[in-house]
Amino acid sequence: MNELIVLIIACAILGSGVGFLAGLLGIGGGLVIVPILSMILLHFQVLPAEQVVLVAIATSLASILFTSTSSAIAHHKNGNVPWQLAPWVMTGVALGALISGFFASLLPANVVRIVFAVSVVLIALKMIFSSKNDSQTLRSLPNKGLLTLYTSITGGLSAMIGIGGGAVLVPLLTFFSVDIKKAIGCASACGIVIALFGSVGYISSGSQYFTLKEGFAGFVYLPALFGIVCTSWFTAPLGAKATHHLPVSTIKKIFAGLLVIMAVNMLAK
């Protein structure tokens, strides 16, 4: 079988799991896509090893544009997207993601890898300990200016490590007493913005390194993008439905363990 077809099939299998997680937890799926896609690209020798992580991150962001759209539509139908809050959050993450995407090519691959791994571990620890915190302390949301600032930092970090932002944004919103389901719905919608503006940056900054004839749009590897999206679009709504039936705290613990394993693997590679 043609190696390119096998690569697309492998990415389609990856996309099916990523889509479900995106709908379930409001994450774009980049925390899973980046390390696994990096291994796929290395296995098929698509490009030199030192460029793999950057291409995996850019391709992850591009796929999140579609996955988060599907997830957000499903959450909107369930009434879980707080549109009175979302515009301010979206503005912040858009600014952060756009800036991060344009500066990504200036960072050494090892720096990107370390930032990714450390961020994943911190997010995993936050997931674990937040599930144990039963405090009912109510915290008011900051004013709109501060909220935009906080979320711009979230968007920048998310775009830098190729994730949709939910893994960072959901803990931030729940810290300010936003209902977990509303936070997940808002994160799904914001994932669209992070992915869109982040992808623009990665495509623009990568256009001098790769060409469309090689299968790239900037740093985005199109065959892998097609494979991921062709399944994640359909599994994301399933995850959104499962949010109403499965214990999110338990899923977060399991997912946190998976993140730690993948972070260690990323550093080892």
Side-chain angles (χ1 to χ4, degrees):
M1 188 181 294
N2 185 287
E3 282 198 350
L4 182 61
I5 295 176
V6 177
L7 182 149
I8 293 173
I9 292 173
C11 290
I13 295 171
L14 170 61
S16 63
V18 164
F20 185 82
L21 289 173
L24 181 66
L25 296 176
I27 62 171
L31 289 169
V32 178
I33 294 174
V34 173
I36 296 180
L37 181 56
S38 294
M39 289 187 286
I40 292 173
L41 295 176
L42 281 172
H43 176 76
F44 288 98
Q45 300 179 335
V46 174
L47 67 168
E50 61 270 16
Q51 296 175 317
V52 162
V53 174
L54 193 58
V55 169
I57 288 174
T59 305
S60 170
L61 276 175
S63 71
I64 288 167
L65 177 60
F66 298 91
T67 305
S68 288
T69 298
S70 178
S71 175
I73 291 172
H75 280 292
H76 172 70
K77 289 179 179 178
N78 292 327
N80 285 333
V81 181
W83 290 112
Q84 74 281 6
L85 179 65
W88 301 99
V89 178
M90 286 181 172
T91 300
V93 298
L95 292 173
L98 184 60
I99 294 171
S100 178
F102 276 113
F103 282 97
S105 62
L106 303 178
L107 295 175
N110 284 339
V111 172
V112 177
R113 185 182 294 108
I114 292 171
V115 169
F116 175 87
V118 172
S119 300
V120 165
V121 171
L122 292 176
I123 291 167
L125 291 174
K126 175 62 180 176
M127 284 184 174
I128 293 170
F129 289 109
S130 65
S131 65
K132 296 179 180 179
N133 183 11
D134 295 325
S135 172
Q136 296 300 314
T137 302
L138 295 177
R139 301 181 183 89
S140 300
L141 281 165
N143 63 57
K144 294 173 181 178
L146 275 178
L147 182 61
T148 301
L149 175 62
Y150 291 156
T151 53
S152 66
I153 297 172
T154 298
L157 175 62
S158 300
M160 181 180 292
I161 61 178
I163 65 177
V168 183
L169 188 58
V170 171
L172 174 66
L173 294 178
T174 53
F175 176 80
F176 290 113
S177 305
V178 176
D179 177 74
I180 182 68
K181 292 182 179 180
K182 300 289 185 183
I184 289 173
C186 185
S188 295
C190 289
I192 302 171
V193 179
I194 292 176
L196 175 61
F197 284 87
S199 295
V200 168
Y202 278 106
I203 291 171
S204 299
S205 61
S207 58
Q208 58 185 310
Y209 299 98
F210 301 102
T211 66
L212 194 60
K213 289 183 179 179
E214 297 173 299
F216 289 86
F219 285 119
V220 177
Y221 187 50
L222 298 177
L225 173 63
F226 172 76
I228 294 170
V229 171
C230 73
T231 53
S232 64
W233 178 269
F234 300 102
T235 56
L238 299 178
K241 289 182 180 179
T243 301
H244 296 280
H245 305 290
L246 298 177
V248 175
S249 61
T250 301
I251 295 170
K252 280 187 176 181
K253 291 177 184 176
I254 297 172
F255 190 55
L258 178 64
L259 297 183
V260 172
I261 293 172
M262 290 190 168
V264 172
N265 179 71
M266 178 64 73
L267 286 176
K269 293 293 184 181

